[in-house]
Amino acid sequence: MSLTPHYDKLKAAISNPKCQDDKRLLEETLERYYDWVNSIKHLDSMGQKRVYQMVDLLNNYKDFLEVDIIGKRSSAFLKRQKGQLKLDNSVLEEFLIYLVDNRIVNGLPTDFQIDCGPHTAFMSLSFRPTGIASLNQNPSIVLKEKDQDFTLGKTIHYQFSASSHFENELTTSGQLYLSVFAAEIKVNYDKTMFQECAGTASRLKQGCPIAKYYALVEYLDMLPEDCRLTEIDNVFLLRKAKRLPANKRSIIKEIEKQHKDFPIAKDVMWRFVEEMQNFVDAVWYDSKEALKRGSFI
């Protein structure tokens, strides 16, 4: 999967015939995108300081894109379709990739390249024989997967065969992406989205019980709930803000004021980084330690 999801969405919008009235604005945004990415890459800080500086740069870019470009200057089409075009939440998708950096997270693998960013992630694998005779044929595999906005993981390759010699005609081969740390990114987050995330988290952890699953939300559109009653590990409220009331959502002054009053919070983003760090540091499972602990887990 791409490591530049926001760039990809910008380029796609520039090439989209329906966005031609906004092409000049989108090209201007692309230039600002290059400035944003270069500014991140040229930071010489580490750890929490680096994350805080990155969040400052993130807020500046998102204010430019969402307030100045889309809110004030774009066509009605772009205002309506920004979510469908993924111009807004893809910014955070790309930003999170820059957090997977040994200047921020200690202990990342050095002997192989861990995958990160948006991926179609493994949920479950099952067998579907079509009849008794099919048990001696190449196995029919049903692989359930789901797109995730942000992941840490690795591609796993598999082979199943009706023969111990793994002849080609009796063997099914394939690959899956095993996500061990995932996050769903939402601009607005309502009750339905929360329930969908809870279902996704449950299915993800059925396939990989040690996995972690989070939601990163800009604007809350529901009453907060105790996510410990679900398989969601936490919901981070990046702006510590509720969604604007319906009668204010199209008023640019209200949008601009909300961005100014409730920028993406540095401390919340740092808490998410700490979750990633704790996960990287943890021993996910060691059966030899069970007798020392006096428990299986």
Side-chain angles (χ1 to χ4, degrees):
M1 298 292 284
S2 173
L3 294 178
T4 55
H6 180 58
Y7 169 81
D8 297 342
K9 296 300 184 294
L10 272 178
K11 292 290 287 185
I14 290 171
S15 302
N16 189 337
K18 295 181 180 179
C19 297
Q20 289 310 294
D21 290 344
D22 297 291
K23 185 175 181 179
R24 182 183 60 81
L25 290 179
L26 292 168
E27 289 173 340
E28 182 181 344
T29 303
L30 185 61
E31 291 303 314
R32 182 64 73 91
Y33 163 83
Y34 290 135
D35 292 341
W36 171 53
V37 170
N38 285 332
S39 295
I40 292 176
K41 291 180 177 179
H42 283 89
L43 291 174
D44 58 5
S45 51
M46 299 180 68
Q48 188 180 53
K49 182 179 179 181
R50 185 178 185 87
V51 173
Y52 278 24
Q53 290 173 334
M54 287 171 60
V55 173
D56 282 336
L57 295 171
L58 172 66
N59 278 316
N60 290 338
Y61 178 70
K62 282 178 70 68
D63 288 348
F64 172 77
L65 171 65
E66 296 167 12
V67 178
D68 187 40
I69 293 293
I70 297 177
K72 293 182 178 180
R73 300 161 60 192
S74 74
S75 68
F77 172 81
L78 198 62
K79 287 181 173 67
R80 288 195 313 270
Q81 297 298 319
K82 63 177 182 178
Q84 190 70 23
L85 296 168
K86 295 198 72 175
L87 290 176
D88 44 7
N89 71 333
S90 64
V91 178
L92 276 168
E93 286 183 18
E94 188 157 332
F95 174 83
L96 295 184
I97 294 170
Y98 288 105
L99 296 178
V100 186
D101 187 310
N102 57 19
R103 289 167 292 187
I104 295 173
V105 179
N106 298 317
L108 292 171
T110 57
D111 55 341
F112 71 92
Q113 180 65 47
I114 193 165
D115 295 325
C116 65
H119 269 279
T120 302
F122 168 73
M123 292 287 174
S124 67
L125 184 149
S126 56
F127 296 91
R128 185 176 54 193
T130 57
I132 194 70
S134 68
L135 295 177
N136 197 41
Q137 300 169 358
N138 58 319
S140 176
I141 303 298
V142 180
L143 189 63
K144 298 290 186 181
E145 300 172 302
K146 190 177 187 303
D147 291 342
Q148 302 290 344
D149 294 331
F150 174 76
T151 65
L152 293 178
K154 188 76 173 65
T155 298
I156 305 296
H157 303 269
Y158 63 81
Q159 281 189 328
F160 296 103
S161 181
S163 166
S164 60
H165 299 292
F166 285 85
E167 295 92 337
N168 287 338
E169 66 274 12
L170 296 177
T171 301
T172 298
S173 302
Q175 65 181 39
L176 56 87
Y177 178 75
L178 185 64
S179 172
V180 294
F181 188 98
E184 186 79 9
I185 299 169
K186 297 293 186 184
V187 176
N188 304 302
Y189 199 62
D190 59 22
K191 179 76 171 183
T192 299
M193 293 176 182
F194 175 73
Q195 292 170 339
E196 289 174 353
C197 284
T200 299
S202 178
R203 294 194 300 276
L204 179 74
K205 294 184 179 186
Q206 285 175 356
C208 185
I210 59 91
K212 296 288 186 179
Y213 182 91
Y214 302 88
L216 273 63
V217 178
E218 291 197 54
Y219 303 107
L220 191 63
D221 198 15
M222 58 175 281
L223 291 174
E225 294 201 16
D226 189 345
C227 61
R228 290 174 296 183
L229 301 176
T230 74
E231 293 291 347
I232 301 172
D233 289 284
N234 208 345
V235 177
F236 288 102
L237 308 178
L238 296 177
R239 292 186 184 269
K240 303 180 183 180
K242 293 182 178 180
R243 189 182 186 187
L244 282 174
N247 63 329
K248 295 183 178 181
R249 291 172 194 166
S250 60
I251 302 174
I252 185 58
K253 288 185 178 180
E254 294 291 342
I255 297 171
E256 189 171 19
K257 183 177 186 301
Q258 190 178 44
H259 270 247
K260 181 180 179 181
D261 293 345
F262 300 102
I264 291 176
K266 299 173 185 177
D267 61 318
V268 178
M269 191 63 74
W270 178 246
R271 284 181 60 197
F272 178 70
V273 171
E274 288 181 316
E275 291 287 331
M276 201 185 317
Q277 183 66 71
N278 291 337
F279 185 71
V280 169
D281 289 342
V283 176
W284 299 344
Y285 180 69
D286 184 353
S287 60
K288 297 177 182 177
E289 293 295 314
L291 290 175
K292 295 180 182 178
R293 279 194 306 268
S295 64
F296 276 11
I297 59 173

